[in-house]
């Protein structure tokens, strides 16, 4: 593969590709900035921690961002789905995108339309360790405390993703068959979607702005026995980049079996050790051979 194919921190100008950065891909380096640019119809799984993450000019992509200790910026994207855990979240000039978000401050949107939000709903081997290392509490999530710099009095530019339309992303790695995907966030429920956002202790820089902030209506009540589906993706091949969808009954059973209690401290790091060692032994295996 050429150097661009193996560049860990930049993913750019790809089409119909599966790009994976496994736990440990960034070598435990602090302050990593990751950029995803100009991709079309790709699945990008960033399963290692970053300091900042930038997603620009993406079309019809699915993107997972593991805990980002500073800010995640999403700009000029359309028709995409994002699963993002971050301290701060900013999006601008996006259309028809869905965000499953864990955020420690009030998310900011600007000049964006037809965008949907739900709580973070992704799992992969080691996610609990990454939450602990980033000092993210999965129970304290400001995903719906959204501030819109382009807010208008006649209606919101964003809406809640209905529970039946939600997707839980489950990422696994073929060279780590014994490391099952973990879920650290609370399971997606109608109660979680309709809960009031917590009060933020950190401002988002908009206190002097006088911009209307209408809230969208609550999401519709799901039909009996219906809930979020589960999208299962592994790093095997580009052709399987969209993964497979499981219905809500299978998804519920899988989620209940894989939830990992939040455990701050060094002990949480054991969850990624086996996969990291196996990938390192393969020589560069932390960067997917597909991506």
């Amino acid at each position: 593969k050429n150097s661009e194919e193996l560049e860990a921190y930049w993913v750019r100008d790809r089409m119909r590709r599966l790009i994976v950065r496994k736990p440990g891909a960034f070598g435990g380096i602090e302050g990593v900035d990751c950029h995803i640019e100009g991709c079309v119809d790709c699945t990008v799984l960033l399963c290692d921690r970053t300091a900042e993450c930038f997603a620009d000019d993406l079309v019809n992509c699915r993107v997972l961002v593991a805990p980002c200790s500073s800010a995640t910026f999403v700009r000029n994207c359309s028709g995409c789905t994002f699963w993002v855990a971050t301290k701060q979240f900013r999006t601008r000039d996006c259309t028809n995108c869905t965000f499953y978000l864990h955020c420690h401050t009030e998310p900011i949107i600007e000049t964006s339309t037809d965008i949907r939000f739900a709580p973070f709903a992704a799992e992969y081997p080691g996610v609990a360790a990454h939450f602990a290392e980033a000092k993210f509490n999965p129970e304290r999530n400001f995903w719906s405390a959204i501030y819109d710099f382009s807010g208008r009095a006649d209606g919101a530019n964003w809406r809640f993703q209905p529970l039946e339309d939600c997707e839980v992303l489950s990422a696994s790695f073929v060279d780590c068959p014994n490391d099952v995907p973990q879920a650290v966030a609370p399971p997606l429920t109608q109660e979680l979607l309709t809960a009031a956002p917590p009060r933020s202790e950190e401002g988002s820089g908009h206190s002097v702005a006088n911009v209307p902030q209408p809230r969208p209506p609550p999401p519709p009540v799901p039909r009996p026995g219906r809930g979020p589906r589960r999208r299962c993706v592994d790093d095997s091949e580009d052709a399987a980049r969209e993964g497979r969808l499981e219905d809500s009954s299978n998804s519920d059973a899988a989620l209940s079996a894989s939830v990992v209690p939040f455990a701050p401290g060094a002990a949480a790091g054991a969850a990624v050790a086996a996969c990291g060692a196996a990938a390192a032994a393969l020589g560069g295996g932390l960067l997917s051979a597909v991506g």
Side-chain angles (χ1 to χ4, degrees):
K1 290 181 179 291
N2 59 38
S3 60
E4 182 175 297
E5 288 281 308
L6 295 177
E7 173 57 61
Y9 312 131
W10 288 82
V11 177
R12 68 183 86 184
D13 301 329
R14 310 286 187 89
M15 181 175 290
R16 295 187 292 276
R17 298 296 302 275
L18 170 64
I19 300 103
V20 181
R21 301 296 180 257
K22 302 173 187 176
F26 302 142
I29 300 172
E30 295 293 332
V32 167
D33 293 348
C34 193
H35 298 254
I36 312 167
E37 301 176 357
C39 297
V40 178
D41 193 20
C42 290
T43 294
V44 183
L45 305 177
L46 301 181
C47 298
D48 203 12
R49 289 184 54 211
T50 57
E52 287 190 322
C53 188
F54 302 83
D56 294 290
D57 303 306
L58 307 182
V59 178
N60 192 32
C61 290
R62 292 150 298 280
V63 179
L64 168 63
V65 178
C68 175
S69 59
S70 182
T72 298
F73 300 87
V74 181
R75 300 169 293 202
N76 298 295
C77 296
S78 63
C80 296
T81 302
F82 295 84
W83 293 262
V84 178
T86 186
K87 183 176 181 181
Q88 298 178 340
F89 180 80
R90 305 286 187 269
T91 184
R92 189 188 70 212
D93 298 324
C94 291
T95 59
N96 186 28
C97 289
T98 302
F99 299 95
Y100 297 94
L101 183 62
H102 179 90
C103 193
H104 273 222
T105 59
E106 298 171 3
I108 299 295
I109 66 175
E110 186 174 3
T111 56
S112 297
T113 57
D114 191 21
I115 56 177
R116 300 162 294 277
F117 284 89
F120 184 74
E123 54 186 56
Y124 62 88
V127 64
H130 288 160
F131 263 71
E133 292 164 2
K135 298 181 173 60
F136 286 0
N137 181 352
E139 301 288 342
R140 187 166 173 79
N141 185 359
F142 294 89
W143 69 275
S144 67
I146 292 166
Y147 188 88
D148 185 357
F149 272 109
S150 304
R152 49 191 176 84
D154 61 341
N157 291 315
W158 64 279
R159 57 189 172 91
F160 295 99
Q161 178 79 331
L163 186 66
E164 289 188 39
D165 296 334
C166 285
E167 291 185 4
V168 176
L169 179 66
S170 180
S172 59
F173 314 119
V174 294
D175 58 352
C176 304
N178 296 324
D179 291 330
V180 298
Q182 305 167 344
V184 70
L188 274 179
T189 63
Q190 184 71 2
E191 290 73 20
L192 192 63
L193 281 174
T194 56
R199 183 177 297 276
S200 176
E201 298 175 358
E202 298 184 40
S204 301
H206 56 257
S207 59
V208 298
N210 185 21
V211 180
Q213 297 297 314
R215 298 279 293 177
V221 176
R223 292 169 290 176
R226 300 299 295 269
R229 294 179 296 177
R230 192 162 178 260
R231 183 179 293 273
C232 301
V233 182
D234 64 32
D235 58 344
S236 57
E237 57 181 350
D238 287 326
R241 65 189 177 277
E242 295 186 7
R244 70 182 189 277
L245 280 173
E246 297 180 349
D247 64 27
S248 56
S249 59
N250 290 336
S251 177
D252 290 343
L255 282 173
S256 63
S258 62
V259 173
V260 175
F262 180 61
V272 297
C275 187
L282 292 174
L286 294 170
L287 301 185
S288 170
V290 178

